């Protein structure tokens, strides 16, 4: 692994440090700083010529700052002549803007893909994209990881008696089905309708949830409205208790407070996005080993997909 160098942006340093520890490496030396006017500047403080370089930066809030920092860092790195440059985005921001669902709107997930490639990325490593087809926005290789093995292991240890995995909307069925299969649980779907970007109204529950422990599986939590509304509906339909899991805890606005006050028994998240001082109801699992192992396999040119068999 000597010719593999791992750099980190400022978006999630604790995760980068854990990944580096998993790989028995120090993070690469880089100075990312702001001028007084807010502009970002980057200085790579070590020789990377001919190396296999990874830069870790989730584009989580403040999304525009973190994205710009990543782009500028990629530019600095690529101008220092690495053999290959991989952008590691544990969380890919703007992923929900992945299609023209109404006239005259952008496809920002595609714009971000173009920007990453223009800035110098030769390859992308990411996790639980909001829509897996975002991989197709790139003409460079994309390795797409799933946090599922980490979350499923945690759920298994809870020894649920009669669990049902719940997709909080129709788009989440594939992910929920994968969880249900691995946990030998049944599957239900909440038929979610969105009245506005931040307001959700639940309409129906499809599937049997009565007298079962319901586990809602989602890729991300933003305002928390989807989960809270789904939890209330599932309890009204007879679920004994409701848990929620998500890979990316975006936690916009007062989401943490609202989740804490909600009837959810526990909210299980991962550390793709950093958070501190969370209430005990929110359990953080780390995906550092998964990301570290994927980096190792990319570097050693062995299979990444076999991580998920
Ligand atoms: C929607 O398709 C996503 O999977 C999430 O359910 C949604 O983005 C969560 O947003 P919020 O927490 O604001 O309801």
């Amino acid at each position: 692994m000597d010719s593999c160098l791992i750099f980190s942006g400022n978006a999630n340093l604790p995760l980068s440090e854990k990944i580096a520890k998993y790989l028995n490496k120090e993070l690469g030396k880089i100075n990312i700083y702001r001028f007084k006017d807010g502009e970002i500047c980057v200085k790579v403080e070590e020789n990377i010529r001919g190396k296999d370089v990874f830069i870790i930066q989730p584009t989580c809030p403040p999304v525009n700052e973190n994205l710009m920092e990543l782009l500028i860092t990629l530019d600095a790195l690529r101008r220092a002549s690495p053999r290959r440059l991989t952008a590691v985005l544990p969380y890919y921001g703007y992923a929900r803007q992945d299609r023209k669902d109404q006239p005259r709107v952008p496809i920002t997930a595609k714009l971000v893909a173009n920007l990453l490639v223009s800035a110098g990325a030769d390859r992308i490593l990411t996790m639980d994209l909001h829509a897996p087809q975002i991989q197709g926005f790139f003409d460079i290789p994309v390795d797409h990881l799933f946090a599922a093995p980490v979350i499923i292991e945690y759920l298994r240890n809870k020894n649920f008696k009669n669990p049902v995995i719940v997709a909080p909307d129709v788009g989440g069925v594939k992910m929920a089905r994968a969880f249900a299969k691995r946990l030998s649980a049944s599957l239900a779907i909440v038929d979610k309708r969105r009245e506005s970007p931040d307001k959700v109204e639940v309409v129906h529950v499809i599937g049997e949830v009565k007298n079962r422990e319901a586990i809602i599986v989602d890729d991300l939590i933003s305002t928390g409205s989807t989960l809270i509304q789904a939890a209330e509906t599932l309890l009204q339909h007879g679920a004994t208790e409701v848990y929620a899991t998500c890979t990316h805890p975006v936690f916009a606005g007062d989401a943490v407070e609202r989740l804490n006050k909600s009837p959810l028994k526990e909210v299980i998240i991962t550390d793709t996005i950093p958070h501190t001082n969370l209430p005990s109801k929110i359990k953080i699992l780390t995906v550092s080993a998964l990301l570290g192992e994927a980096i190792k396999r990319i570097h050693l040119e062995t299979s990444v997909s076999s991580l998920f068999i």
Side-chain angles (χ1 to χ4, degrees), residues 96 130 169 192 194 200 218-226:
R96 283 178 290 175
H130 178 62
D169 52 36
K192 176 180 92 173
R194 215 171 246 288
V200 165
D218 210 346
D219 61 323
L220 68 90
I221 302 173
S222 182
T223 62
S225 302
T226 301

Side-chain angles (χ1 to χ4, degrees), residues 259-273:
L259 288 166
N260 201 29
K261 284 192 194 143
S262 77
L264 283 160
K265 174 123 184 160
E266 189 175 23
V267 180
I268 300 139
I269 62 171
T270 83
D271 58 354
T272 59
I273 299 174

Side-chain angles (χ1 to χ4, degrees), residues 3-307:
S3 64
C4 168
L5 297 181
I6 318 287
F7 289 87
S8 177
N10 287 311
N12 193 349
L13 210 46
L15 176 64
S16 302
E17 279 163 355
K18 283 189 196 148
I19 294 171
K21 192 167 174 208
Y22 177 86
L23 294 167
N24 267 324
K25 294 186 78 74
E26 297 282 320
L27 286 174
K29 294 187 186 66
I30 193 164
N31 187 8
I32 303 174
Y33 54 98
R34 262 91 182 146
F35 292 115
K36 283 229 166 65
D37 60 3
E39 288 184 1
I40 299 166
C41 193
V42 174
K43 169 94 170 83
V44 182
E45 304 276 13
E46 62 182 293
N47 176 29
I48 63 167
R49 195 174 288 275
K51 305 281 189 196
D52 191 11
V53 172
F54 293 80
I55 164 73
I56 304 169
Q57 174 92 325
T59 47
C60 52
V63 54
N64 299 328
E65 270 294 306
N66 287 333
L67 175 60
M68 201 62 205
E69 190 181 282
L70 174 59
L71 296 172
I72 293 171
T73 307
L74 281 167
D75 190 67
L77 290 165
R78 71 118 166 243
R79 289 174 196 281
S81 308
R83 176 171 66 77
R84 179 174 62 180
L85 183 49
T86 301
V88 182
L89 290 91
Y91 169 66
Y92 188 102
Y94 281 114
R96 283 178 290 175
Q97 295 182 33
D98 62 350
R99 64 197 179 283
K100 275 187 78 170
D101 56 355
Q102 49 181 308
R104 301 179 296 280
V105 294
I107 305 180
T108 316
K110 168 64 178 154
L111 172 64
V112 170
N114 290 347
L115 291 170
L116 290 169
V117 174
S118 298
D122 298 312
R123 174 170 206 113
I124 303 291
L125 173 60
T126 188
M127 181 171 269
D128 283 325
L129 284 168
H130 178 62
Q133 56 271 27
I134 290 172
Q135 291 169 70
F137 291 175
F138 292 90
D139 286 326
I140 56 172
V142 177
D143 286 298
H144 184 211
L145 308 181
F146 308 99
V150 173
I151 299 172
I152 287 172
E153 193 191 330
Y154 179 80
L155 292 174
R156 255 199 205 114
N157 290 332
K158 292 219 168 257
N159 295 317
F160 292 118
K161 289 197 187 75
N162 198 8
V164 55
I165 303 294
V166 182
D169 52 36
V170 178
V173 174
K174 198 169 172 214
M175 189 180 193
R177 194 180 290 131
F179 272 68
K181 196 172 157 201
R182 292 206 184 148
L183 286 163
S184 306
S186 54
L187 181 68
I189 302 162
V190 173
D191 178 22
K192 176 180 92 173
R193 301 280 153 86
R194 215 171 246 288
E195 288 188 325
S196 67
D198 292 332
K199 193 154 178 259
V200 165
E201 188 194 343
V202 174
V203 186
H204 292 117
V205 175
I206 304 162
E208 190 50 65
V209 298
K210 196 166 181 193
N211 297 328
R212 293 169 195 253
E213 301 109 331
I215 305 148
I216 310 170
V217 174
D218 210 346
D219 61 323
L220 68 90
I221 302 173
S222 182
T223 62
S225 302
T226 301
L227 289 185
I228 295 168
Q229 193 106 25
E232 285 164 358
T233 307
L234 291 164
L235 288 168
Q236 280 157 19
H237 282 72
T240 50
E241 47 193 26
V242 184
Y243 293 76
T245 82
C246 87
T247 306
H248 307 300
V250 177
F251 290 162
D254 59 354
V256 171
E257 204 184 321
R258 293 180 63 222
L259 288 166
N260 201 29
K261 284 192 194 143
S262 77
L264 283 160
K265 174 123 184 160
E266 189 175 23
V267 180
I268 300 139
I269 62 171
T270 83
D271 58 354
T272 59
I273 299 174
H275 289 288
T276 49
N277 301 323
L278 291 176
S280 59
K281 187 189 266 198
I282 301 181
K283 169 79 185 167
I284 310 178
L285 306 177
T286 184
V287 286
S288 54
L290 212 48
L291 284 159
E293 186 59 31
I295 288 174
K296 185 168 157 192
R297 290 177 185 213
I298 290 168
H299 176 66
L300 299 176
E301 304 198 330
T302 57
S303 168
V304 171
S305 63
S306 60
L307 264 174

